[in-house]
């Protein structure tokens, strides 16, 4: 008996978190990966990593890779991507919204008004806005099939501001991403589709490793996570028989890992940032109408 492979899409998978997530989800899966860097020889490339290299790692991990060059700031390209998935498989089991357009340099001592406007606005377009556009298309596949998982990668920047690291558009994008998850989960729940946000810690990505000051062992961060660790966490989440109970929630990757028994390659589990940066985003559940709220209050009294 042949087991049907899962159909997975990971956006922004040329490098960083997306690369690790795609590899972590590779077993038993056809993994579509997107990014703007198709090959290592890309002339505009300033960091290592490409779709071709990620595809090779997916294949080595037992998956089938389908690299698709896509700028998630272009809605037409995103629509074409989902049309391809529909033609190829007619279904989508997992979407991981990870694409983001981070500026090359940290803000440092600069105020937001001193940052390049185009870079900061693009951070909202390829991030918050693109997460919604991809989820919109994914839901059109997942709702009819009665199953699926949408994951938004996020961070404590949704609720905290680290001077010199975060900018207002970054924080707004992450906060909005978390609220998207909550609201989408409310509407997807009757259709058997789950939506979850994951707050990642500082990742040992190509970008971070290119800035040695970020990884000093002097207490700058409680600990760091590998991109492959995040991939294994999302894979464990996707296979949870009680996934529906987590839908609409925002979780630290390290805390999900502890719950699922996921570790780094060396057997360790990175620490949670909760004590330092606080609890993940949470949202108030309300009654559909005020009349129902009044009725519930009367029942309690």
């Amino acid at each position: 008996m042949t087991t049907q492979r899962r159909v997975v899409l990971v956006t922004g998978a040329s490098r960083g978190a997306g690369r690790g997530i795609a590899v972590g989800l590779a077993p038993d899966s056809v993994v579509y990966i997107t990014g703007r860097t198709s090959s290592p020889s890309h002339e505009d490339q300033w960091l290592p990593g490409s779709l071709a290299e990620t595809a090779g790692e997916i294949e080595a991990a037992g998956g089938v890779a389908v690299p698709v060059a896509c700028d998630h700031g272009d809605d037409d390209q995103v629509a074409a991507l989902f049309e391809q998935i529909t033609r190829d498989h007619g279904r989508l089991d997992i979407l991981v919204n990870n694409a983001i357009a981070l500026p090359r340099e940290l803000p440092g001592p600069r105020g937001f008004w001193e940052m390049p406007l185009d870079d900061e606005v693009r951070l909202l377009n390829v991030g918050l806005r693109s997460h919604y556009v991809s989820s919109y298309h994914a839901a059109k596949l997942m709702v009819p099939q009665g199953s699926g998982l949408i994951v938004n990668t996020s961070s404590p920047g949704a609720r905290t501001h680290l001077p010199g690291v975060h900018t207002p558009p970054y924080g707004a994008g992450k906060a909005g991403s978390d609220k998207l998850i909550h609201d989408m989960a409310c509407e997807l729940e009757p259709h058997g589709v789950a939506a979850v946000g994951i707050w990642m810690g500082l990742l040992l990505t190509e970008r971070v490793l290119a800035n040695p000051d970020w990884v000093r062992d002097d207490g700058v961060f409680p600990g760091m996570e590998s991109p492959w660790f995040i991939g294994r966490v999302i894979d464990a989440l996707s296979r949870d028989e009680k996934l529906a109970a987590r839908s609409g929630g925002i979780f630290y990757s390290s805390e999900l890992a502890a719950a699922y028994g996921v570790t780094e390659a060396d057997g360790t589990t990175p620490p949670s940032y909760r004590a330092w940066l606080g609890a993940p985003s949470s949202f108030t559940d309300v009654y559909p109408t005020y009349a129902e709220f009044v009725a519930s209050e009367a029942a309690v009294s």
Side-chain angles (χ1 to χ4, degrees), residues 21-249:
I21 292 167
V23 175
L25 291 171
D28 308 320
S29 303
V30 176
V31 186
Y32 286 76
I33 51 174
T34 66
R36 294 190 299 160
T37 307
S38 298
S39 64
S41 60
H42 193 284
E43 62 182 7
D44 296 328
Q45 187 174 354
W46 67 280
L47 285 173
S50 67
L51 290 177
E53 291 167 293
T54 302
E57 293 184 6
I58 290 170
E59 300 281 348
V64 176
V66 185
V68 180
C70 179
D71 180 349
H72 282 270
D74 185 325
D75 290 351
D76 289 340
Q77 291 187 37
V78 175
L81 164 68
F82 281 89
E83 288 169 3
Q84 178 180 344
I85 294 172
T86 302
R87 287 195 307 271
D88 292 349
H89 300 281
R91 65 179 294 111
L92 180 64
D93 299 298
I94 302 171
L95 164 66
V96 181
N97 285 311
N98 177 71
I100 192 168
L102 292 172
R104 183 174 298 194
E105 297 179 358
L106 289 174
R110 292 176 292 178
F112 69 87
W113 59 94
E114 298 173 298
M115 300 291 290
L117 181 59
D118 288 348
D119 287 353
E120 294 300 295
V121 171
R122 183 166 173 77
L123 185 55
L124 290 170
N125 287 334
V126 182
L128 176 59
R129 186 179 183 281
S130 67
H131 286 6
Y132 178 73
V133 173
S134 291
S135 298
Y136 170 89
H137 289 291
K140 288 181 177 291
L141 285 168
M142 293 178 174
V143 167
Q145 70 196 28
S147 64
L149 169 64
I150 296 173
V151 175
N152 284 3
T153 59
S154 188
S155 85
R159 296 191 65 180
T160 61
H161 178 73
L162 293 178
V165 178
H166 297 157
T167 62
Y170 176 85
K174 294 304 185 184
S177 172
D178 290 354
K179 187 61 161 60
L180 274 182
I181 284 294
H182 174 267
D183 291 4
M184 290 191 303
C186 290
E187 298 187 18
L188 292 169
E189 187 274 334
H191 305 285
V193 180
V196 174
I198 296 183
W199 279 13
M200 303 180 292
L202 179 66
L203 297 182
L204 285 168
T205 63
E206 298 86 351
R207 178 184 176 88
V208 170
L209 294 173
N211 293 272
D213 287 346
W214 297 9
V215 293
R216 294 173 299 174
D217 188 18
D218 60 1
V220 175
F221 286 91
M224 289 168 283
E225 302 172 4
S226 74
W228 296 270
F229 170 77
I230 304 302
R232 289 192 290 271
V233 169
I234 295 178
D235 184 60
L237 171 72
S238 71
R239 299 177 189 276
D240 188 346
E241 294 181 355
K242 298 180 179 179
L243 173 61
R246 293 196 184 274
S247 188

